[in-house]
Amino acid sequence: MTTTLDSKIGTAQVKRGMAEMLKGGVIMDVVTPEQAKIAEDAGAVAVMALERVPADIRAQGGVARMSDPDLIGGIVDAVSIPVMAKARIGHFVEAQILQSLGVDYIDESEVLTPADYANHIDKFGFTVPFVCGATNLGEALRRLTEGAAMIRSKGEAGTGDVSNATTHMRAIRAEIRKLTSLPEDELYVAAKELQAPYELVREVASKGKLPVVLFTAGGIATPADAAMMMQLGAEGVFVGSGIFKSGDPARRAAAIVKATTFYDDPDVLAKTSRGLGEAMVGLTVDAIPEPHRLAERGW
Amino acid sequence: MTPNIGVLALQGDVREHVRALESCGARACPVRRPEELAAVDGLVLPGGESTAMNRLLEQFELGEPLRARLAEGMPAYGSCAGMILLAKEILDGRADQQPLGALDIVVRRNAFGRQVDSFETELAFSGIAEPLHAVFIRAPWVESRAEHVEVLASIPEGTGHGPAAGRIVAARQGSVFVTAFHPELTGDARVHNRFVELVREH
């Protein structure tokens, strides 16, 4: 629906602004409308609609693609909170389809099998905003250059092992801190080393943060995991397999939501961590041969 | 005197509101607990996801004390999700959403559509000389209001505005006011300034 004749849609302001509204919240992977409702009931700020959670993609193998539009449509109809969906890296037609379906955010995701090993999607060409994964600051800034409106640290999806999420969040924050301490005349070389545009590097150096919202993802399975990532500087949390691969998804989902809000209060965290049943079984990142690590996808 | 204004910090764009309030000379602090709420002279309810905030409000036993302070006349300002929370009735919300009822308005959630319909525009605002740049994100509108609710801004009437034509997007009742859009995102502090003045006068 269009509103006023002189209004503008799809601007950087409304794309980035949408992500600002998700801050301090939890975005949950769901594969059915029923799971989407459980997530909404638990206080999720958005759901990620997909066919298989990363743990199953990993277990079953094969090529992972955008979900069936019927499934995405069913989830869009089931909840009133924003719905995100994943497109393969570089697959701009999957992104066109997702935009046509009315999803609220597209995740150009390494969890799916890349469709282009050289180029990511030109995200400026879309009205719908994009979130992209990053393992370090240079990667994050390259995604912003292509038009991403939100960044998430990648972690290692489908593992329940939070160590890579920690590594990536620490790396991004450390590189930002380093930039803020550099004299202006060293920012040119810093941009070269980060393989990112000088203007963006300068902006990060002066503000001490990314110009967009930074979430975390990949391996978060407990309230304590979510709170740790928040304490490390994440502005919100994506939880993939961690909820619906656990013993009691509704309770765990609600507990992770509370832990994300009260991330700095150990008393609340202790209370919310009780009686959640089994966490997802998990897989240590070390046990995954390097070519099968999802975080290596994208560049 | 420097007013002490809280920003409800369960979820949402808290930092932007804190910054805007501080630029108007207020002291601003996040509010997540009843004792923090008790210490503030006024409260901003930020943009975010109203269903998530609603749930956390009740779970952390902040709902009742907040209703009590609003009933005593504590000044409050809600943007977008904050406007939904402060309303008397919510359309297209969740059945279990419990509005705070500080303003006699009925709001419709996501009234302007989904994220692809989110927009920015220039908007005339009652009592502010030049139009505001208004950012609407999955925004609600005021579907109806009681007579004593003052309208501060509306989408202009006219063809091409579709069902949004003439809809109320900012309103005030006593010391409580709401906007469907996000002045905290634009760096223009005129709306926050009005709220800080309101808290000062209170």
Side-chain angles (χ1 to χ4, degrees):
Chain A
M1 189 205 77
T2 54
T3 48
T4 58
L5 290 174
D6 56 352
S7 69
K8 292 193 205 76
I9 59 169
T11 59
Q13 174 88 268
V14 298
K15 288 176 173 177
R16 292 178 177 191
M18 168 75 203
E20 302 286 352
M21 301 311 143
L22 301 171
K23 281 190 300 196
V26 182
I27 300 165
M28 303 181 190
D29 277 7
V30 298
V31 300
T32 63
E34 292 68 36
Q35 288 188 355
K37 285 204 189 93
I38 292 171
E40 186 181 40
D41 287 344
V45 290
V47 291
M48 177 75 71
L50 67 177
E51 234 156 39
R52 296 182 284 172
V53 293
D56 288 335
I57 291 173
R58 195 179 280 291
Q60 294 160 8
V63 174
R65 310 179 177 91
M66 176 190 82
S67 300
D68 185 325
D70 273 346
L71 176 125
I72 294 168
I75 289 171
V76 165
D77 291 342
V79 293
S80 66
I81 56 177
V83 176
M84 301 185 167
K86 290 183 195 290
R88 284 179 267 177
I89 290 174
H91 207 314
F92 53 87
V93 173
E94 284 189 349
Q96 291 165 5
I97 292 169
L98 291 173
Q99 175 164 296
S100 155
L101 291 172
V103 305
D104 297 296
Y105 237 95
I106 294 176
D107 183 5
E108 186 180 18
S109 177
E110 71 282 2
V111 167
L112 306 183
T113 312
D116 187 332
Y117 283 90
N119 305 288
H120 282 69
I121 297 170
D122 173 6
K123 293 165 273 288
F124 286 111
F126 290 81
T127 307
V128 66
F130 283 74
V131 55
C132 287
T135 58
N136 56 52
L137 181 60
E139 198 178 352
L141 296 180
R142 287 191 291 281
R143 296 296 84 77
L144 295 186
T145 311
E146 301 152 0
M150 178 179 183
I151 296 291
R152 56 175 172 77
S153 60
K154 281 181 178 171
E156 187 59 30
T159 59
D161 179 349
V162 79
S163 63
N164 272 23
T166 310
T167 308
H168 299 157
M169 186 56 65
R170 281 194 186 277
I172 292 170
R173 299 270 297 170
E175 288 169 302
I176 292 175
R177 273 195 305 275
K178 187 182 162 207
L179 279 189
T180 60
S181 69
L182 289 182
E184 286 218 0
D185 63 353
E186 289 180 20
L187 291 176
Y188 301 101
V189 173
K192 186 192 83 177
E193 285 167 354
L194 286 166
Q195 299 177 43
Y198 168 73
E199 288 71 25
L200 268 177
V201 169
R202 201 187 144 100
E203 188 179 351
V204 171
S206 72
K207 285 189 180 151
K209 74 178 285 300
L210 289 178
V212 301
V213 167
L214 172 65
F215 267 48
T216 185
I220 287 97
T222 69
D225 289 348
M228 179 167 84
M229 298 315 294
M230 294 295 287
Q231 288 194 25
L232 286 173
E235 297 180 280
V237 179
F238 284 87
V239 185
S241 321
I243 290 171
F244 290 99
K245 284 285 163 190
S246 74
D248 188 345
R251 286 191 75 164
R252 184 164 295 267
I256 292 177
V257 168
K258 283 187 217 168
T260 303
T261 294
F262 285 87
Y263 66 93
D264 54 353
D265 185 332
D267 294 339
V268 175
L269 296 175
K271 216 179 287 172
T272 57
S273 299
R274 285 170 189 265
L276 299 182
E278 289 289 310
M280 72 180 282
V281 175
L283 175 68
T284 61
V285 176
D286 273 354
I288 305 166
E290 261 178 50
H292 297 293
R293 293 187 190 169
L294 303 176
E296 315 283 326
R297 296 170 169 174
W299 36 88
Chain B
M1 153 212 129
T2 307
N4 195 11
I5 301 180
V7 180
L8 187 67
L10 298 172
Q11 186 272 314
D13 66 340
V14 177
R15 188 177 52 218
E16 286 66 26
H17 277 289
V18 167
R19 198 178 299 148
L21 291 166
E22 285 174 346
S23 80
C24 300
R27 202 175 308 120
C29 57
V31 166
R32 289 182 297 179
R33 301 176 178 84
E35 59 271 26
E36 290 161 350
L37 176 65
V40 298
D41 306 319
L43 186 71
V44 170
L45 293 89
E49 193 43 54
S50 66
T51 55
M53 283 191 224
N54 219 213
R55 200 183 151 76
L56 288 163
L57 260 181
E58 302 309 330
Q59 278 177 345
F60 287 96
E61 288 154 14
L62 210 54
E64 279 322 305
L66 178 52
R67 280 187 186 85
R69 290 232 40 203
L70 289 167
E72 290 162 12
M74 174 183 69
Y77 164 48
S79 71
C80 195
M83 161 164 138
I84 296 171
L85 294 175
L86 287 168
K88 193 175 174 188
E89 194 187 332
I90 305 167
L91 303 176
D92 294 341
R94 288 170 49 83
D96 61 352
Q97 261 187 304
Q98 297 166 29
L100 297 166
L103 208 67
D104 292 324
I105 56 172
V106 179
V107 296
R108 186 175 292 282
R109 250 181 100 214
N110 303 336
F112 288 93
R114 305 193 65 86
Q115 171 59 16
V116 288
D117 307 305
S118 292
F119 64 100
E120 44 186 308
T121 192
E122 303 300 315
L123 198 66
F125 196 96
S126 166
I128 292 180
E130 297 292 314
L132 287 170
H133 190 70
V135 181
F136 290 82
I137 296 174
R138 283 174 55 98
W141 65 44
V142 177
E143 186 91 3
S144 64
R145 59 166 174 129
E147 223 166 82
H148 55 270
V149 174
E150 180 192 355
V151 175
L152 298 176
S154 304
I155 299 290
E157 296 280 358
T159 51
H161 301 188
R167 295 290 181 181
I168 299 166
V169 290
R172 171 180 170 174
Q173 178 180 335
S175 55
V176 178
F177 82 90
V178 292
T179 62
F181 52 92
H182 297 279
E184 73 276 12
L185 291 182
T186 60
D188 176 350
R190 287 178 292 170
V191 171
H192 287 81
N193 216 15
R194 273 195 68 170
F195 181 60
V196 172
E197 285 310 312
L198 209 144
V199 177
R200 273 208 179 98
E201 288 159 15
H202 189 71

